[in-house]
Amino acid sequence: MFRRLLTLEEAKLVIQKHFEAKPLGVEEIPLLEAFNRVLAEDVVAEIDIPPFNRSTVDGYAVKAEDTFGADENKPVKLKLCGMVCVGEKPKIRVEHGTAAEIMTGAPIPEGADAVVMLEDAERKNGEVYVYVAAARDGNIMKAGADIKKGEVVARKGQLLTAREIGAIAAVGRAKVKVYKVPKVAVLSTGAEVTEPGKPLAPAKIYDINAYSLSAAVQESGGKPVYLGVFPDEAAELEKALKTALASADMVVTSGGVSVGPKDVMPTTLSQLGKPGVVVCGIAIKPGKPTTVAVVDGKPIFALPGHPTSALLIFHLLVRPVIECMAGRMPTKYATVKALASTRMFPARGRKTFVTVKLKEESGKLVAEPVPMGLSGAITTLLRADGFIEIPENQQFVDEGEEVMVHLFKSEKACIKS
Ligand code: AMP
Ligand code: MG
């Protein structure tokens, strides 16, 4: 098959031209299942939170002015007039000269405007000795102090973490509208590739890509649909791809896109439907044979088999598409400046990504390449902290030159020291 290598930017534009990545729709789900989903509505508080003035301590509800002048040597003596428990509407009223025992979280009874902490009072024979003067509203959380009625507690587009989910529960919502999760069919190819968990026959290797890519799909906000490993055989592959298209919103495959005699993925993809293959090779290293097709309005990303290449290309090309379909903002990956530990060359005419490890040498951050020559090695990614990008038209990056390292961590995941 004829291949004209597109630049990475051209490839992205061509994909966008044939496939508009946008949210797939909205569904209402139980709040208990909403973790890591993206909110598709503004959640507005319909009540004040807390809904009533409540005590923030265990102690005695009093009229503040009754305690004025009280100190350790001159306690104020008040008559105990009853008790206010949590979860109950107070049945008593605090009159001048009296105090009601109250629990943390219980409503402030009528007449009281402050709470004296248990530790600042002493109870003797039905009377309460207050040793500290209370300020008006002291130890009281006012209705609406946390969330005001009408306030937006979580916004459309927010990723729901424990904190947002807590805030939504606080206003009494048990269901939320979220964006649908895009389903991404994942399949591997190659006669040598064996599913983990099965015995490994001679000349076989375990499937890394279906697993690493499925995890990457989840990280991007998609739901992976694992379809298995298929041989490099056009008819079987075609059947598998048709099943994949029918069962998912997008397909990600790995292997079989190079120019070897068994690399039947591009021709198989070109026979699946319209518009078919839209990207057949990208001028990047690694990832040159990456092939992308669009069939029946669904994209198929056929990544190279080398596990490190597959994951890097996923990161560059596939992740942003899934994020968009999931209603997420594209993840911003943190960058740091470092000095190149050695001279690095790009592959001729190709934008080159060099995986690097960061080290500190004499107080300076140094980026040392983790060789990708063996780009089949998944451990490259385990050892690397990120990658640097060398443009196709640059001759080389010199030793000691400042480079920008794109970290494999999102900005949010980085703790700034
Ligand atoms: P290919 O792109 O099919 O030519 O594969 C390139 C290299 O990656 C070969 O060494 C394959 O054995 C290896 N490879 C392909 N698919 C996988 C996979 N799913 N898991 C691990 N290694 C793979
Ligand atoms: Mg193969």
Side-chain angles (χ1 to χ4, degrees):
M1 175 178 265
F2 171 76
R3 288 188 170 178
R4 183 179 90 74
L5 297 188
L6 301 177
T7 64
L8 184 60
E9 292 66 33
E10 282 172 338
K12 285 182 180 169
L13 286 175
V14 168
I15 297 165
Q16 278 166 23
K17 199 176 123 202
H18 291 94
F19 176 76
E20 191 198 347
K22 55 174 197 260
L24 297 166
V26 172
E27 61 184 346
E28 194 169 47
I29 60 163
L31 185 58
L32 277 174
E33 291 163 22
F35 175 69
N36 221 15
R37 299 291 296 269
V38 182
L39 203 54
E41 59 168 334
D42 284 346
V43 175
V44 178
E46 283 172 13
I47 52 167
D48 278 337
I49 301 299
F52 50 86
N53 296 346
R54 69 178 178 191
S55 177
T56 60
V57 295
D58 290 317
Y60 296 96
V62 296
K63 283 188 186 293
E65 63 182 281
D66 284 356
T67 69
F68 291 169
D71 72 23
E72 250 173 78
N73 303 316
K74 201 160 58 80
V76 164
K77 199 167 75 173
L78 300 172
K79 193 171 174 324
L80 188 67
C81 65
M83 183 165 184
V84 189
C85 294
V86 282
E88 287 174 14
K89 200 164 177 272
K91 294 180 199 78
I92 46 164
R93 210 191 131 81
V94 173
E95 305 288 358
H96 272 297
T98 70
E101 194 177 355
I102 189 164
M103 294 178 180
T104 304
I108 303 298
E110 261 185 66
D113 60 8
V115 179
V116 175
M117 282 168 71
L118 216 51
E119 297 85 326
D120 294 334
E122 196 180 7
R123 201 147 111 193
K124 278 190 254 172
N125 309 321
E127 281 173 324
V128 181
Y129 290 74
V130 176
Y131 291 94
V132 176
R136 188 155 291 140
D137 294 337
N139 297 321
I140 294 177
M141 187 181 201
K142 288 291 186 88
D146 202 357
I147 302 167
K148 286 245 169 334
K149 182 177 171 179
E151 201 176 302
V152 177
V153 290
R155 290 199 180 276
K156 185 172 171 172
Q158 266 184 308
L159 186 66
L160 295 176
T161 70
R163 289 171 295 131
E164 288 78 24
I165 288 175
I168 296 169
V171 300
R173 290 277 300 267
K175 287 181 175 178
V176 273
K177 289 196 178 110
V178 292
Y179 291 109
K180 287 187 176 160
V181 174
K183 282 197 216 118
V184 182
V186 179
L187 61 93
S188 298
T189 66
E192 77 282 31
V193 181
T194 307
E195 284 180 27
K198 293 191 175 158
L200 201 62
K204 307 279 183 186
I205 55 163
Y206 282 125
D207 182 1
I208 297 171
N209 296 342
Y211 287 76
S212 59
L213 294 171
S214 293
V217 164
Q218 282 178 278
E219 276 179 358
S220 315
K223 180 178 163 46
V225 181
Y226 173 68
L227 292 184
V229 183
F230 297 87
D232 300 299
E233 203 271 302
E236 276 209 50
L237 216 48
E238 188 179 326
K239 216 170 99 191
L241 289 166
K242 282 185 172 156
T243 310
L245 281 169
S247 58
D249 304 299
M250 183 202 282
V251 183
V252 176
T253 74
S254 65
V257 283
S258 297
V259 289
K262 297 263 180 188
D263 293 330
V264 294
M265 185 61 88
T267 37
T268 312
L269 284 174
S270 66
Q271 285 155 14
L272 275 184
K274 295 259 178 265
V277 173
V278 295
V279 175
C280 195
I282 306 178
I284 48 173
K285 186 190 175 186
K288 182 175 157 192
T290 302
T291 304
V292 184
V294 176
V295 176
D296 300 335
K298 294 178 183 177
I300 305 171
F301 292 89
L303 309 179
H306 291 301
T308 299
S309 314
L311 210 46
L312 193 72
I313 305 308
F314 180 94
H315 180 80
L316 296 173
L317 215 58
V318 189
R319 179 184 49 77
V321 175
I322 300 178
E323 284 174 337
C324 234
M325 291 167 81
R328 291 192 183 202
M329 295 294 284
T331 307
K332 273 207 190 128
Y333 285 85
T335 53
V336 285
K337 285 181 182 156
L339 304 179
S341 72
T342 180
R343 190 175 277 196
M344 299 177 219
F345 295 88
R348 181 193 285 268
R350 288 193 275 158
K351 179 182 276 192
T352 300
F353 298 90
V354 182
T355 43
V356 295
K357 191 170 173 44
L358 290 170
K359 285 180 170 180
E360 218 169 82
E361 277 174 16
S362 335
K364 295 208 171 110
L365 205 54
V366 170
E368 185 183 75
V370 179
M372 259 225 278
L374 315 161
S375 64
I378 186 71
T379 49
T380 303
L381 284 185
L382 288 181
R383 278 184 285 134
D385 295 305
F387 61 86
I388 65 167
E389 220 180 287
I390 313 179
E392 49 272 57
N393 52 8
Q394 188 170 333
Q395 241 188 330
F396 56 78
V397 168
D398 211 354
E399 180 180 337
E401 195 178 321
E402 191 176 78
V403 288
M404 186 69 86
V405 180
H406 301 260
L407 298 174
F408 289 136
K409 291 178 193 151
S410 72
E411 270 176 0
K412 280 191 202 139
C414 288
I415 298 162
K416 297 227 165 63
S417 54

